[in-house]
Amino acid sequence: MDPIAGAGDNANREFELKPVAVTRWTARLVDASVEQSYLDSRFHDDRRRVLVLMGFIAGAGVLIVFGRFLAFLDGHGSLLSMLPPIVPVAVAALGLGVILRAKSPQAMELSLLSIGVVVVGFRFSVMTVQPVMAGNWLPLMVTSLFVIYLYLPVRLALAVVFASFYSAVSVTWWLTLYGAPLSGEQIYFGLLWIVLANGLAFAAANALQRGQRMQYAQKLIMQQLLATDALTGIANRRSFDAALDREWRRCGRAGLPLSLLMIDVDHFKAYNDRFGHQKGDECLRRMARALVDCVGHPDALVGRYGGEEFVCLLPGTDQRSAAKMARRVTAAVDRAAISHPASLDGNRVTVSVGVATADTFFGDKTDLLTLADELLYAAKNGGRNRAVAGELASKQPSVRAA
């Protein structure tokens, strides 16, 4: 899950560092949305790994068929002996097609489990018809269990279910067809190996999947930290730059307007000189909360641009709506009634806003930023505590009071 995937999303909420939580026995992230994001992030690599496995199975089957065909040419064996290895080739080829059509982790898991059931049924059918293969039962079982737990890209709970099904079918088949001539000691050690293989494979898979999820969740937290302003808890300059680049291209492709509010706290240096930097920091935090509460647009991004400057990116918002939003911002800050005796506007903190809108995207995204900055200074030169709006055109912007 990309924490700055949308222009707004979590960036407009004050940042809270939440602990990474992974369940102990099922090895999944407690937050369902983060778990799904983790599965989605691994989907293409996991599918590629499954395709390699299918290709390996198909290649091994082809080599076995070729070897038995050579034996048939030398007078050892029959053509029927080539049929058992042909089936894995066919199943692997079918599996390749099914896996390539899977479009989600859940669809791939369902496909893998379905293919696995078919393979289990076929394998034990062949071993029933050809009893000589029963001697390979135990190594085959142990190897298969480790492949299920550690190689197949399925969640741990599903791996446990499938491995238990595979173990139950295998042991039942083994005892039913070959139990009579086996001694009690052979049966005991056979069952012991199955239990140990399940236990060891589960422990290894649990540690592996928990570690992978912990690493992914911690990476998300680092991304959130890198995208968040430490003082105010809203998006920082890095996050804003990424969002502006992304929304500039997206709105250009979709033919949507893109508006930017450049917001500056009036006479903030005087505020710092009067009350000190600690109070100044608290003022900026209150400003950030007021802006986030005021904007409330699901696609908007409110961020700290630097110092006492804030930005609000509004994808899909035209000039008229953006100017209206700017007036709401100035009114919200006025209602916050933050005392500022050095201010010339009623002894309270006020803001000036530059409102830039792009309806055409012929230039560069920095043109929108430059225009918003120019309009901000126009608002300051016009007396502060006001907003000035303008539209980015292919030649000259049109400017008017918001």
Side-chain angles (χ1 to χ4, degrees), residues 14-78:
E14 290 191 54
F15 181 72
E16 293 182 6
L17 186 61
K18 298 181 179 179
V20 178
V22 181
T23 58
R24 181 178 298 276
W25 299 112
T26 57
R28 62 179 179 81
L29 289 155
V30 173
D31 189 321
S33 62
V34 179
E35 172 70 13
Q36 184 60 49
S37 173
Y38 166 77
L39 295 175
D40 291 339
S41 71
R42 293 185 58 88
F43 173 65
H44 294 291
D45 288 338
D46 286 342
R47 184 168 65 175
R48 190 179 302 114
R49 192 166 78 244
V50 172
L51 294 177
V52 170
L53 177 63
M54 295 292 184
F56 176 78
I57 293 173
V62 168
L63 292 176
I64 294 173
V65 170
F66 183 69
R68 293 190 178 181
F69 179 71
L70 293 178
F72 168 75
L73 293 179
D74 288 339
H76 305 291
S78 63

Side-chain angles (χ1 to χ4, degrees), residues 259-274:
S259 293
L260 172 63
L261 274 58
M262 182 74 77
I263 305 161
D264 186 79
V265 182
D266 296 327
H267 304 293
F268 186 71
K269 183 179 184 302
Y271 187 96
N272 262 342
D273 292 342
R274 174 68 181 269

Side-chain angles (χ1 to χ4, degrees), residues 165-219:
F165 160 76
Y166 184 44
S167 299
V169 171
S170 175
V171 169
T172 302
W173 169 86
W174 183 53
L175 294 178
T176 301
L177 294 181
Y178 300 100
L182 297 176
S183 65
E185 183 181 11
Q186 288 176 309
I187 294 175
Y188 170 77
F189 280 107
L191 296 176
L192 180 62
W193 272 108
I194 297 299
V195 172
L196 288 176
N198 273 284
L200 291 173
F202 171 81
N206 186 37
L208 176 64
Q209 294 201 25
R210 277 174 56 83
Q212 289 173 336
R213 283 164 168 79
M214 288 285 288
Q215 184 179 21
Y216 177 78
Q218 289 166 357
K219 183 181 74 172

Side-chain angles (χ1 to χ4, degrees), residues 304-325:
R304 185 182 177 201
Y305 191 71
E308 67 272 21
E309 286 189 328
F310 296 85
V311 286
C312 178
L313 190 62
L314 300 168
T317 303
D318 59 21
Q319 184 182 7
R320 181 177 179 182
S321 299
K324 183 178 179 181
M325 178 65 72

Side-chain angles (χ1 to χ4, degrees), residues 111-186:
S111 300
L112 284 173
L113 295 177
S114 300
I115 294 170
V117 171
V118 172
V119 170
V120 169
F122 166 74
R123 173 57 62 184
F124 289 116
S125 297
V126 171
M127 294 176 70
T128 302
V129 175
Q130 298 181 336
V132 68
M133 297 181 64
N136 299 324
W137 170 78
L138 193 55
L140 175 65
M141 273 298 302
V142 173
T143 303
S144 300
L145 287 172
F146 275 89
V147 169
I148 292 170
Y149 277 106
L150 297 174
Y151 194 85
L152 292 186
V154 297
R155 284 167 288 182
L156 185 59
L158 292 177
V160 170
V161 170
F162 184 64
S164 300
F165 160 76
Y166 184 44
S167 299
V169 171
S170 175
V171 169
T172 302
W173 169 86
W174 183 53
L175 294 178
T176 301
L177 294 181
Y178 300 100
L182 297 176
S183 65
E185 183 181 11
Q186 288 176 309

